[in-house]
Amino acid sequence: MPRPLSPLTLRGRVMPASTLFQLFLVGAAIALLWLGIGLHLSQERRQFERAAWNNANGVSHGFNESVSRTIEALDQVMMMIRSLYRADRDHFDIRSMAPSDQVPRDLALQMAVTDAKGIMQGSNLGANAGLDLSDREHVRVHMNTPADVLFISKPVLGRVSGKWSIQFTRKLFDQNGAFSGVLVVSLNPAYFARFANGVDIGKGSITLIGMDGVVRVRAPDAPDSLGRVLDDTAMERFRTGPADGEYRHASPVDGIDRLLSYRRMADFPLIAVVGMAADDVFAPYWQDRDRYLLVGALLTVLVALIGAQLISQGMHLARSQRLLSATLDNIGQGVMMVDADGTVPVMNRRVAELLGLPEHLSREGVTFGAILDWQLKSNEFLPNHDGGYDVAALAQSGGLGPLQYERSRKNGVVLDVRTLPLDRGGAVRTYTDITLRKQNEAALEAARDAAESARRAQSDFLAVMSHEIRTPMNGVIGMAGLLIDSDLTQSQRSYASTLREAANSLMQIINDILDFSKLEAREVDLDHAPFDLLHVIRSVMDLMAVKALEKQLWLRMQVASGTPVHLTGDPGRMRQVLFNLVGNALKFTQEGGVTIEVDGKILSDTHATIHITVRDTGIGIPDAAMEHLFKQFYQVDGTSSRGYGGTGLGLAICQRLATRMDGRITVQSTPGIGSAFCFAAPMELDLSAPARKAEQSIAPAEREKAPRSTTRLRILLAEDNITNRLVAITRLEMLGHRVDQVANGVEALQMVQTAPYDLLLMDVMMPEMDGLQATRLIRGLPGPEHDIPIVAMTANVFHHHQEACRAAGMDDFMGKPFTPTQLERLLERTIAGTLRTRAPTSATARADLSNGEAAFATLVDALGREDALHVLKDFTGQARAQIAAMRHSHAAQAWPEISDSAVALHEAAGTLGLDLLAETAQRISHQPAGDQVPGLIDTLQNAVTETEKLVA
């Protein structure tokens, strides 16, 4: 049984453990996503921050160096001035140094000298003597301190310059080394701020702070920034901390949060502080953060959607699994799945029922081997080989066995076992109870055997009776023929002829019975071949023409305009139906005649419906007999049976053949007026033939009966085609000649040595031995049979075929299909003894005519002018289509298609005697890729045009 899922109830819904696991996976995926984003952003922030510190450190170091060098340079100048002052105090004038190169103008705002009491003695800005500077810190520090040091003051507003400045002061000494005053140099703070102009620090700041906590320089400048005193916390960091360091602080001056880097000067009580604005530092980071947060949000939504879809599918799958479990447990077929390791993960209850498994083996998780072991120990496998397989041996091998087999349990249950191997090992096996089906099959087999036995008995009876009846009948017909050929009186000859006609009638009855039996047993198969409808009908008319002439009746054909001619089906069976209908019509007609009306409609590109009506002016059929007309062995009445004969099977056979062709036969009749039998059937169009529709025409069969010789010939017919043999034999016997038949050249060679024949009609193409080889062997015989006249019957009427026939020893040849007139002329020449003189061919006899004219004249002799015109029109239409196909194939270099079209045109033209066309087409077929092909195609075109003039 299918393994149940572990459910969990959540908010009133049962959620399987797999769904909860999927929820966990979705949550974990989202958490990992944000954890990754957070770690990346944190690392990126630290990178930006570290880069800002490094940048600030570099700038502070540069600022420190710049300030230090500036102060050192200023101190050197002051030391030089002090030396000048000490050397010549009386003549020292500070004003003379203002324009000198030794004191940069952009560095100092003012230089002044005071006496020991702090009274200004002079200044480079002019007469400022007498100004008391003793209250200034930068002067007082030297008056009160014995140390000789450079003092850097806080920013002060100059009394002389009126500008904010930083005072740099040093003691002055007289020649005796005694303190004599103070040298004061006022420096513009903006000079130090110029360093910031060369450094891109955005919203950052550069500050110079004294160790006293007072701001000396700040860039960018801000109100009240100069002289501002830092808080003790900051100064404590500067004074007691490392010489250089970092910290983050929001400036009280402008409120901007900055990352600050400071550096104490080693030689001066100053601190250089450089700050990078946090907004500038973290602006790229904040942009990346926003992008990452957006991407994270989108990915979160995507993961959530995918997770929701997976969870939904999981729940749907779980529901499907529950439904599948319920379905498997309630179907009538046992289902088992076996894994590659032999474990059974799926097994429904029906398996246990069909196999009779005990409780411990009727659950999932058991092994397939355990089930086989139990079956072997329980003798579940019968000793016979079910379905050709030794199931017990199969079970002992532990295999899953063939894909399908049947086996019987010891309780009588028959199982159909099917196995479907899986790609990764293991299989799915099904068990079906087929006990009832096997019982029904056994019953049906017994019934079928009984029916087959009865059918075989019937077939055997018909076969034996056919053989037993045909054998003496052939003897009767043969002996009657010998009697007719012997010297008899007129009355005796009449009796012998009546005897042969009765024997032939009896043979026809036997053939009808056999045909009907085959139709009843559904042993008649229909051919599917292309044919010409009018040709089939004309062949029936040719066979029935003699009978019509004997009764002085007309036999004609009327074809409706637009009737499709080239069809696909079984022409032999259609000919059999029409032969029967026309024969019946002639049989029951004493005056007037029989008309075959042909009408057809095209239904689609591939199909048409054909209506053939056989209308007579005979005795008609009473209304009471109409419903029984197509029943087997039925005659209209006893009188008609005695008057006209027959078995009553002809119409039954015709109706069944029409039904096999998906058609039917209907009848309309008026007693004393006549009857009309209509054969209607759907037909396929022959798409390989050029489209041609019949024009409205009437083809009569009322030719005058030419006087014939009374000499009767004994003829041997060698022909392998049954239909061709039937046509030839019928025509020859209607002309009063005796015919024996064989199916190949071997039999012909044997027959000519057993009986004296007046004529041998030899088919050229036959199995086992063809006509040419048989003729050569006959011409080599030592006896009189060496000189037997031999005429070739062939569809190949080209010159080289004719020459091959004559080279083999044949006396003449007759093209297929041949007409009664051609056959009569051949027999007349045989009777007259002129056949062995090798009469000239039609081409020789008409040497003064063109090839097309000679061919047309031959067709007129054979078919009549109207039919000859139809044949040539059909041929020229087909020839133009084939020539167009050859031109198209030549342009596409499709050489096989050119050859096929040329062969088809070669055969059609040769059959009509159009030698130029045939030989030109043959040259193309032999070398379709040759350079001369376009010219040969033009020759074909011109020849077809000349032929069309004959039928214009």
Side-chain angles (χ1 to χ4, degrees):
M1 292 171 286
R3 184 177 301 161
L5 300 173
S6 301
L8 181 67
T9 302
L10 182 62
R11 293 186 180 181
R13 297 185 63 184
V14 176
M15 299 185 66
S18 60
T19 302
L20 293 177
F21 181 68
Q22 290 173 343
L23 282 172
F24 170 75
L25 289 179
V26 172
I30 294 175
L32 288 175
L33 171 66
W34 285 107
L35 178 61
I37 292 175
L39 291 175
H40 178 78
L41 290 176
S42 176
Q43 182 180 5
E44 187 177 17
R45 181 184 176 87
R46 286 195 298 270
Q47 291 175 350
F48 277 107
E49 189 177 52
R50 185 71 266 159
W53 290 126
N54 292 337
N55 191 21
N57 284 334
V59 174
S60 65
H61 178 74
F63 183 54
N64 189 316
E65 291 294 325
S66 176
V67 172
S68 295
R69 286 195 297 270
T70 300
I71 295 175
E72 287 175 356
L74 182 63
D75 190 35
Q76 289 177 1
V77 171
M78 293 177 70
M79 292 296 288
M80 181 191 68
I81 293 173
R82 188 172 71 170
S83 296
L84 294 174
Y85 175 84
R86 184 174 182 177
D88 190 3
R89 176 181 177 186
D90 296 333
H91 296 92
F92 179 79
D93 187 2
I94 193 64
R95 289 178 297 179
S96 63
M97 296 185 181
S100 70
D101 295 334
Q102 296 174 341
V103 181
R105 294 183 178 182
D106 59 348
L107 179 64
L109 293 176
Q110 179 184 4
M111 289 189 297
V113 177
T114 68
D115 58 13
K117 296 181 180 180
I119 303 302
M120 181 182 295
Q121 298 299 311
S123 169
N124 64 337
L125 296 181
N128 293 311
L131 183 64
D132 187 3
L133 299 178
S134 61
D135 59 336
R136 297 286 193 179
E137 180 185 15
H138 55 273
V139 174
R140 190 172 57 251
V141 70
H142 292 291
M143 295 172 59
N144 300 329
T145 303
D148 182 16
V149 295
L150 175 66
F151 180 79
I152 303 173
S153 73
K154 303 172 185 178
V156 297
L157 185 61
R159 293 174 180 173
V160 178
S161 64
K163 299 179 180 179
W164 286 96
S165 62
I166 300 174
Q167 310 299 326
F168 293 82
T169 60
R170 267 195 178 274
K171 288 183 177 183
L172 292 175
F173 298 97
D174 58 15
Q175 293 178 348
N176 297 321
F179 173 71
S180 62
V182 178
L183 173 62
V184 180
V185 177
S186 300
L187 185 65
N188 187 355
Y191 179 83
F192 294 107
R194 289 191 307 175
F195 177 83
N197 297 332
V199 181
D200 183 13
I201 58 175
K203 297 179 182 179
S205 65
I206 297 178
T207 309
L208 185 63
I209 305 171
M211 292 299 292
D212 55 3
V214 178
V215 175
R216 265 66 173 175
V217 177
R218 188 180 189 279
D221 193 15
D224 302 330
S225 60
L226 291 179
R228 185 180 182 86
V229 180
L230 298 185
D231 56 53
D232 295 337
T233 303
M235 290 309 301
E236 184 67 21
R237 179 187 300 110
F238 296 150
R239 293 189 185 103
T240 61
D244 52 359
E246 303 165 348
Y247 69 100
R248 183 171 179 175
H249 181 66
S251 172
V253 176
D254 52 18
I256 296 176
D257 183 19
R258 293 184 176 89
L259 281 73
L260 301 169
S261 176
Y262 70 89
R263 184 177 297 274
R264 285 202 307 263
M265 296 184 185
D267 299 324
F268 306 104
L270 297 174
I271 304 168
V273 181
V274 176
M276 298 293 178
D279 289 346
D280 295 338
V281 171
F282 295 111
Y285 162 77
W286 288 331
Q287 292 178 356
D288 289 348
R289 181 194 63 183
D290 293 342
R291 286 195 294 268
Y292 276 104
L293 292 177
L294 178 60
V295 172
L298 293 176
L299 290 177
T300 300
V301 173
L302 180 61
V303 171
L305 290 176
I306 295 175
Q309 184 67 21
L310 290 175
I311 292 170
S312 175
Q313 291 179 353
M315 297 185 69
H316 179 72
L317 178 60
R319 179 175 177 274
S320 299
Q321 289 177 338
R322 291 194 298 272
L323 292 176
L324 176 61
S325 176
T327 301
L328 290 176
D329 282 340
N330 288 278
I331 63 175
Q333 191 176 46
V335 180
M336 175 192 296
M337 179 183 291
V338 182
D339 285 342
D341 59 358
T343 305
V344 180
V346 176
M347 179 197 301
N348 67 350
R349 282 193 285 267
R350 187 60 175 159
V351 172
E353 295 173 0
L354 292 176
L355 298 182
L357 298 178
E359 181 66 26
H360 70 282
L361 294 178
S362 302
R363 55 183 175 80
E364 298 170 354
V366 301
T367 62
F368 187 66
I371 296 176
L372 293 179
D373 291 341
W374 176 85
Q375 289 177 318
L376 288 169
K377 292 177 181 178
S378 302
N379 296 321
E380 275 291 319
F381 303 115
L382 299 181
N384 64 315
H385 294 195
D386 291 317
Y389 296 100
D390 189 344
V391 183
L394 178 64
Q396 290 172 350
S397 67
L400 289 172
L403 298 183
Q404 179 183 2
Y405 65 91
E406 296 176 1
R407 77 173 183 87
S408 301
R409 291 190 60 204
K410 60 183 181 181
N411 61 358
V413 174
V414 182
L415 298 177
D416 177 55
V417 183
R418 298 176 183 241
T419 304
L420 175 64
L422 301 178
D423 294 339
R424 297 184 178 180
V428 175
R429 171 167 283 189
T430 61
Y431 301 86
T432 306
D433 186 352
I434 58 172
T435 306
L436 181 59
R437 191 189 79 188
K438 299 298 287 186
Q439 294 172 351
N440 292 336
E441 287 178 356
L444 289 174
E445 186 174 356
R448 184 177 65 252
D449 290 343
E452 287 290 334
S453 178
R455 190 183 66 79
R456 283 194 299 271
Q458 179 182 359
S459 299
D460 293 343
F461 172 76
L462 289 174
V464 171
M465 292 305 297
S466 172
H467 180 269
E468 294 300 326
I469 294 175
R470 283 173 179 269
T471 300
M473 285 306 301
N474 285 329
V476 171
I477 295 172
M479 293 305 295
L482 291 177
L483 276 175
I484 293 173
D485 293 339
S486 63
D487 295 331
L488 298 176
T489 64
Q490 185 174 358
S491 60
Q492 288 173 336
R493 189 176 301 279
S494 175
Y495 297 153
S497 298
T498 302
L499 174 62
R500 187 169 65 176
E501 290 176 4
N504 286 331
S505 298
L506 182 56
M507 187 65 75
Q508 182 61 44
I509 293 173
I510 295 171
N511 291 334
D512 286 347
I513 293 174
L514 289 176
D515 282 345
F516 184 77
S517 299
K518 290 180 180 179
L519 286 168
E520 285 290 293
R522 297 184 180 276
E523 294 179 355
V524 174
D525 295 326
L526 297 180
D527 289 339
H528 189 77
F531 67 94
D532 188 308
L533 175 63
L534 298 185
H535 176 72
V536 171
I537 298 174
R538 287 193 182 100
S539 67
V540 174
M541 294 176 67
D542 288 342
L543 292 173
M544 290 296 175
V546 174
K547 187 174 182 179
L549 291 173
E550 288 176 351
K551 298 183 70 173
Q552 296 183 349
L553 303 173
W554 77 66
L555 177 58
R556 58 193 178 193
M557 175 174 61
Q558 295 181 353
V559 183
S561 178
T563 300
V565 173
H566 296 294
L567 306 173
T568 300
D570 191 333
R573 292 301 179 182
M574 178 177 284
R575 186 181 292 108
Q576 182 178 354
V577 171
L578 296 179
F579 188 84
N580 202 311
L581 294 179
V582 174
N584 278 349
L586 292 173
K587 181 194 300 184
F588 293 102
T589 302
Q590 302 302 326
E591 295 181 357
V594 176
T595 302
I596 303 175
E597 300 172 356
V598 185
D599 189 12
K601 304 295 182 184
I602 295 178
L603 302 178
S604 66
D605 293 339
T606 58
H607 287 78
T609 179
I610 301 298
H611 295 266
I612 304 175
T613 302
V614 179
R615 192 180 304 277
D616 64 60
T617 58
I619 63 174
I621 304 170
D623 293 339
M626 295 289 286
E627 59 179 315
H628 306 288
L629 196 60
F630 294 101
K631 292 182 179 179
Q632 60 269 29
F633 307 112
Y634 177 77
Q635 294 286 356
V636 175
D637 56 36
T639 302
S640 64
S641 294
R642 290 191 298 271
Y644 299 99
T647 62
L649 288 176
L651 290 178
I653 292 173
C654 290
Q655 187 68 283
R656 281 164 172 74
L657 286 175
T659 302
R660 289 296 307 276
M661 289 186 279
D662 296 327
R664 61 173 184 165
I665 298 176
T666 58
V667 60
Q668 294 178 347
S669 182
T670 303
I673 303 298
S675 305
F677 286 79
C678 179
F679 166 74
M683 292 286 174
E684 293 184 25
L685 297 174
D686 180 11
L687 302 180
S688 63
R692 180 170 74 88
K693 300 177 183 178
E695 299 179 359
Q696 187 171 5
S697 63
I698 299 177
E702 299 181 79
R703 300 173 186 168
E704 295 182 1
K705 186 176 181 181
R708 296 198 304 257
S709 172
T710 59
T711 303
R712 299 294 179 259
L713 299 176
R714 186 169 187 180
I715 301 171
L716 177 61
L717 173 66
E719 168 66 66
D720 65 307
N721 184 275
I722 297 176
T723 302
N724 291 343
R725 287 207 305 268
L726 173 63
V727 173
I729 291 171
T730 303
R731 288 177 175 174
L732 290 169
E733 290 183 345
M734 285 193 301
L735 294 174
H737 301 286
R738 177 183 174 183
V739 185
D740 292 334
Q741 55 178 312
V742 293
N744 55 61
V746 175
E747 295 176 357
L749 180 62
Q750 295 172 352
M751 288 293 290
V752 297
Q753 300 179 68
T754 60
Y757 289 101
D758 301 308
L759 177 64
L760 173 54
L761 298 178
M762 181 81 79
D763 184 20
V764 175
M765 303 297 293
M766 291 186 295
E768 297 189 37
M769 182 185 293
D770 62 30
L772 299 178
Q773 184 178 359
T775 299
R776 296 188 188 99
L777 294 176
I778 291 173
R779 294 302 183 215
L781 294 175
E785 58 270 17
H786 170 276
D787 294 324
I788 182 174
I790 302 176
V791 176
M793 295 191 304
T794 176
N796 297 323
V797 293
F798 306 139
H799 289 309
H800 63 281
H801 293 142
Q802 298 172 12
E803 293 302 325
C805 292
R806 295 192 184 280
M810 293 183 176
D811 297 287
D812 206 343
F813 57 88
M814 185 166 54
K816 295 180 182 178
F818 51 84
T819 66
T821 302
Q822 292 173 310
L823 184 60
E824 287 182 19
R825 289 178 179 174
L826 175 68
L827 297 177
E828 289 171 358
R829 290 172 54 210
T830 303
I831 294 171
T834 60
L835 183 63
R836 298 300 311 270
T837 62
R838 306 280 176 93
T841 63
S842 58
T844 305
R846 296 191 173 98
D848 56 323
L849 301 177
S850 68
N851 179 244
E853 291 172 339
F856 182 57
T858 302
L859 286 175
V860 171
D861 288 345
L863 304 176
R865 183 173 182 81
E866 185 177 356
D867 288 347
L869 289 172
H870 277 301
V871 169
L872 278 183
K873 285 182 179 179
D874 287 346
F875 167 76
T876 54
Q878 295 176 20
R880 285 194 175 276
Q882 287 163 342
I883 291 172
M886 282 190 282
R887 291 190 190 277
H888 177 75
S889 300
H890 187 273
Q893 297 184 350
W895 316 127
E897 286 78 357
I898 295 177
S899 179
D900 291 344
S901 298
V903 168
L905 185 56
H906 163 72
E907 293 178 354
T911 301
L912 296 178
L914 300 171
D915 298 332
L916 176 61
L917 272 168
E919 292 173 0
T920 305
Q922 187 178 39
R923 291 177 61 189
I924 296 175
S925 68
H926 288 165
Q927 291 184 334
D931 297 335
Q932 71 277 18
V933 168
L936 293 175
I937 293 177
D938 292 338
T939 302
L940 290 177
Q941 186 75 51
N942 296 333
V944 171
T945 301
E946 291 298 322
T947 305
E948 286 177 329
K949 294 179 181 179
L950 299 173
V951 296

